[in-house]
Amino acid sequence: MESLKKYHLSESSKIVSPSVPGEKSKELLNLQKEIEGSVVSYPRSMPIAIKRAKGSIIEDVDGNQFIDFFGGCGVLNVGHGNDFVLDYVKKQQTELIHALDFPTENKMSLIKKIRKHLPEDIREDFKVSFGGPTGSDAVEAAIKLAKIKTGRDGIISFTGGYHGMTSGALAVTSDIGFRNRINSLMPNVSFAPYNYPYRRTSTNENEIDGIEYFKNILTNSHSGITKPAAIIVEPIQGEGGNIVPEDGYLEELVRLAHAHDVLVIFDEIQCGFFRTGTFLEFMNTNAVPDIITFSKGFGGIGFPISGLIYKKEVEAWGPAAHIGTFRGNQVSIAAARGAFDFIEAYNLEEYTKTIGAYLTNKLEGLVTEIPFIGEVRGRGMMIGVEFVKNTTTKEPFPEFVKKMRAECFQRGLLFEVGGHYNNVLRLVPPLVTTHAIVDSAIEIMKEAIAVCAEEYLESALA
């Protein structure tokens, strides 16, 4: 879409410093290491100091420009510094910034937009509640609401799931690497296998992978797991490797949960807000959850916001049962309104599907360049490329992905690595990314693959 070009700094990367990171970035990175806490993570794999950004392009303090297919970890759905959205932000900043949970026209307008974008036949069944500014806050609120409503305590989560870093959210996150030094978190959390089509475990092709295990938990009195308050699941796993489950999986999860009076929480923090081409990912299925968590992309251009969309029948808490000083920040709400209007003005729902298909097709073309790509998958602009040492055995190849990311970084392309085995190239670019930017990114990947393949091909073919 030619009209989106103006929302970017450029449409390609540009490396001008003799080395990356450049000298100015090195200075700030060293200062960060000295005076900021060691919990800092992203600059370790993408060592730059950022000066400015617009659209899908980031410029560092040395003048290098990078194509951002990391998207602020899936936050920048309408791009960095979107002028259309900033107009809403600037206006709101002159009127009101902090209002706790008092009603404002700004907030009521956003709630109406959220409900309007739900399927027409169910939109009147749902309410909206804002929480603290992060996705973890939304997850904590969802778990709390489910426990209050059911009077039960347990939660079932899924392997590969990521839900945040606070105590409850971390407890339902499956990666033990995040919690192997923490002795206690929220109790009564159990995990079931997530449906992972590329690594299907069931030999029965007529069986939806993972469902029998989940069914056994709910129906077998010897499963060792008492009836939970809720299940929490990502309709498309993000950190787990941008995994799209097979058709029917989510529907059957919901059906079984509801048949046993268990609430269903869909974590749409990363896959929501038009990232997959629809407002929320569950709308691409026939599965309807009881509670939906939202955050990340809702802030449009990086403003922090989170909350719940939940069925009115789940309403179980009273005044102050869940509070937060910074819930529903008025500037973040204005940014969300602006993002909604921008998406409508540019028909970004359809464009996301088009540009996502274009990027996926280009990535599938890389399969001919190298024998290490096991699968290209995704929906809209949430795409994963899984690398394996052998496409028959599907042995994960995290070393290749790590080296490829480093080579792409040197050439001006940023993306994250994830997956159950840290072997998945995860792409969550801004939805405004142009065809020209995609082409530039693919050329960088081809160059990086050529360098990496030279090192690994000989041993792979031996």
Side-chain angles (χ1 to χ4, degrees), residues 240-427:
N242 291 7
I243 300 171
V244 183
E246 66 182 282
D247 293 344
Y249 173 70
L250 294 172
E251 288 86 346
E252 191 63 9
L253 275 186
V254 172
R255 189 192 70 77
L256 284 168
H258 286 169
H260 291 84
D261 192 32
V262 174
L263 294 177
V264 177
I265 303 167
F266 274 8
D267 184 341
E268 296 247 13
I269 288 168
Q270 188 162 147
C271 62
F273 204 72
F274 305 99
R275 175 146 297 282
T276 63
T278 55
F279 171 45
L280 295 168
E281 170 56 23
F282 87 87
M283 293 164 60
N284 286 315
T285 75
N286 292 313
V288 180
D290 302 295
I291 305 171
I292 302 159
T293 61
F294 68 83
S295 187
K296 285 190 183 287
F298 266 76
I301 56 175
F303 281 91
I305 188 171
S306 82
L308 306 179
I309 304 166
Y310 59 92
K311 289 179 179 176
K312 292 177 181 178
E313 64 193 55
V314 179
E315 186 79 272
W317 45 18
H322 189 77
I323 59 176
T325 305
F326 295 103
R327 63 193 183 279
N329 175 274
Q330 295 297 309
V331 178
S332 296
I333 286 171
R337 287 195 300 110
F340 264 117
D341 290 350
F342 179 84
I343 286 165
E344 185 174 343
Y346 285 84
N347 193 18
L348 222 58
E349 283 190 68
E350 288 305 312
Y351 179 72
T352 298
K353 297 170 188 174
T354 300
I355 193 65
Y358 184 75
L359 174 54
T360 298
N361 183 60
K362 291 284 186 177
L363 290 166
E364 287 172 344
L366 297 179
V367 175
T368 61
E369 308 277 333
I370 187 170
F372 302 132
I373 295 177
E375 181 180 52
V376 177
R377 57 175 176 257
R379 183 172 284 139
M381 289 295 262
M382 188 171 184
I383 301 168
V385 184
E386 181 154 359
F387 284 81
V388 292
K389 293 181 179 179
N390 183 294
T391 55
T392 301
T393 64
K394 300 182 181 179
E395 182 184 351
F397 204 172
E399 308 96 311
F400 189 94
V401 180
K402 184 178 180 181
K403 181 172 177 58
M404 181 180 169
R405 176 172 61 180
E407 293 294 337
C408 285
F409 172 73
Q410 289 296 319
R411 291 161 175 79
L413 174 62
L414 308 179
F415 58 80
E416 184 57 296
V417 170
H420 290 218
Y421 307 97
N422 289 313
N423 65 321
V424 179
L425 184 157
R426 292 207 318 114
L427 304 177

Side-chain angles (χ1 to χ4, degrees), residues 17-156:
S17 61
S19 63
V20 181
E23 293 305 314
K24 291 181 179 179
S25 282
K26 287 178 183 177
E27 184 178 338
L28 286 172
L29 289 164
N30 288 334
L31 180 61
Q32 180 182 49
K33 196 176 297 184
E34 180 183 340
I35 66 176
E36 190 172 350
S38 59
V39 74
V40 166
S41 62
Y42 295 121
R44 297 177 189 274
S45 56
M46 294 174 268
I48 54 170
I50 299 172
K51 178 182 179 181
R52 62 174 181 156
K54 188 175 178 64
S56 300
I57 305 296
I58 289 174
E59 184 174 292
D60 71 7
V61 291
D62 296 283
N64 299 306
Q65 291 190 351
F66 298 81
I67 297 171
D68 181 14
F69 273 17
F70 175 49
C73 201
V75 167
L76 298 154
N77 287 26
V78 296
H80 290 274
N82 186 305
D83 294 329
F84 186 105
V85 176
L86 283 172
D87 285 343
Y88 287 69
V89 169
K90 292 170 184 175
K91 183 176 185 297
Q92 186 61 43
Q93 285 175 324
T94 64
E95 295 178 356
L96 180 68
I97 293 174
H98 183 70
L100 294 169
D101 60 359
F102 289 98
T104 65
E105 291 181 349
N106 181 34
K107 182 163 71 172
M108 294 304 106
S109 174
L110 177 57
I111 292 175
K112 287 179 181 178
K113 286 180 186 295
I114 290 171
R115 281 161 48 99
K116 175 187 173 184
H117 281 81
L118 293 172
E120 186 175 0
D121 60 332
I122 64 171
R123 66 178 57 143
E124 294 301 321
D125 300 335
F126 283 81
K127 300 179 78 170
V128 177
S129 180
F130 294 97
T134 73
S136 293
D137 294 308
V139 169
E140 298 283 350
I143 291 172
K144 182 187 290 186
L145 177 57
K147 289 184 175 183
I148 293 172
K149 176 63 178 177
T150 63
R152 297 190 295 272
D153 196 48
I155 301 291
I156 294 177

